[in-house]
């Protein structure tokens, strides 16, 4: 019968993973290094997790994750620019790049864990964007038939791509993205939906 996990050892391994990700990056993480840092044996780690991706997934699911707040003012374009700019500022950060790349590795090796992580990372962002677009729909700025969750997916895709590449979006790119987005979702002045 397998021995139950020691909660202290489990937390030590997860803390070691978070520390290694921040300092050395996901590619440099080894089971040997995690075991040494956590003060456990490699066998203990292999007994509890199938891969370093599984350790990372659990560490991310339990750790705190920063989510920029989407402002709500009377200017939708300014709000969207502020959100893209906040996400873009994170995209140039080395830890964010490593997190984006590691998330892809986790998702590729464990679809269920990847889905849970994506839900945890994306849901707060989706909720904010959907709420802001709902306000804009009520104000008549955005067409009623616009799928706000689909728009939110586009925000996440652009921000994730920037993080994956490790480069933020400059002001001109943010302005261009917001202009294209608003052109696609804005209500017509006559109140009719666009074709």
């Amino acid at each position: 019968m397998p021995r139950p996990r020691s909660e202290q050892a489990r937390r030590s391994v997860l803390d070691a993973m978070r520390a290694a990700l921040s300092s050395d990056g996901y590619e440099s993480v080894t089971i040997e290094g995690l075991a040494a840092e956590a003060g456990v044996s490699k066998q203990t780690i292999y007994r509890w997790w199938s891969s370093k991706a599984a350790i990372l997934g659990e560490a991310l699911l339990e750790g705190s994750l920063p989510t920029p707040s989407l402002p709500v003012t009377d200017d939708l374009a300014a709000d969207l620019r502020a959100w893209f700019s906040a996400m873009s500022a994170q995209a140039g950060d080395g830890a964010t790049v490593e997190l984006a790349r590691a998330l892809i590795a986790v998702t590729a090796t464990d679809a269920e864990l990847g889905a849970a992580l994506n839900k945890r990372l994306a849901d707060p962002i989706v909720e904010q964007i959907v709420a802001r677009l709902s306000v804009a729909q009520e104000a008549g700025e955005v067409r009623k038939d616009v799928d706000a969750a689909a728009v939110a997916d586009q925000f996440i895709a652009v921000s994730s791509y920037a993080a994956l590449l490790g480069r933020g979006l400059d002001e001109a790119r943010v302005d261009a993205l917001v202009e294209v987005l608003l052109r696609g979702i804005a209500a017509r002045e006559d109140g009719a939906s666009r074709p």
Side-chain angles (χ1 to χ4, degrees):
M1 184 167 174
R3 287 173 34 197
R5 280 186 180 187
S6 157
E7 184 59 20
Q8 181 178 353
R10 185 184 77 84
R11 289 196 180 279
S12 293
V13 172
L14 298 181
D15 288 345
M17 173 57 87
R18 289 185 199 103
L21 184 66
S22 296
S23 64
D24 303 323
Y26 182 72
E27 292 302 316
S28 299
V29 174
T30 64
I31 298 299
E32 293 81 6
L34 292 175
E37 181 68 24
V40 301
S41 70
K42 288 192 309 183
Q43 292 76 16
T44 296
I45 291 178
Y46 285 121
R47 187 177 328 122
W48 294 343
W49 292 282
S50 60
S51 65
K52 74 176 187 177
I55 301 167
L56 174 65
E58 193 169 325
L60 293 176
L61 280 174
E62 293 188 13
S64 63
L65 300 168
T67 301
S69 292
L70 177 64
V72 178
T73 69
D74 60 355
D75 185 343
L76 177 61
D79 292 350
L80 298 178
R81 279 188 198 93
W83 188 85
F84 265 127
S85 295
M87 290 301 290
S88 181
Q90 288 183 347
D93 174 54
T96 302
V97 173
E98 287 300 328
L99 178 61
R101 292 176 181 165
L103 185 57
I104 290 170
V106 171
T107 303
T109 58
D110 186 331
E112 187 176 327
L113 180 58
L117 282 169
N118 279 301
K119 180 175 174 51
R120 181 157 190 274
L121 292 166
D123 277 3
I125 296 167
V126 170
E127 288 171 12
Q128 288 184 66
I129 294 170
V130 168
R132 180 59 184 97
L133 290 178
S134 294
V135 169
Q137 285 173 318
E138 291 301 314
E141 297 175 278
V142 172
R143 296 191 329 268
K144 295 284 187 186
D145 66 339
V146 168
D147 183 340
V151 174
D153 286 344
Q154 299 307 308
F155 269 84
I156 292 167
V158 169
S159 300
S160 298
Y161 183 65
L164 184 62
L165 294 179
R167 62 175 189 236
L169 304 171
D170 62 25
E171 188 176 333
R173 178 58 59 97
V174 168
D175 287 344
L177 286 166
V178 171
E179 181 184 339
V180 167
L181 175 66
L182 289 177
R183 193 177 315 138
I185 67 174
R188 287 182 25 181
E189 288 186 19
D190 62 10
S193 293
R194 293 182 178 176

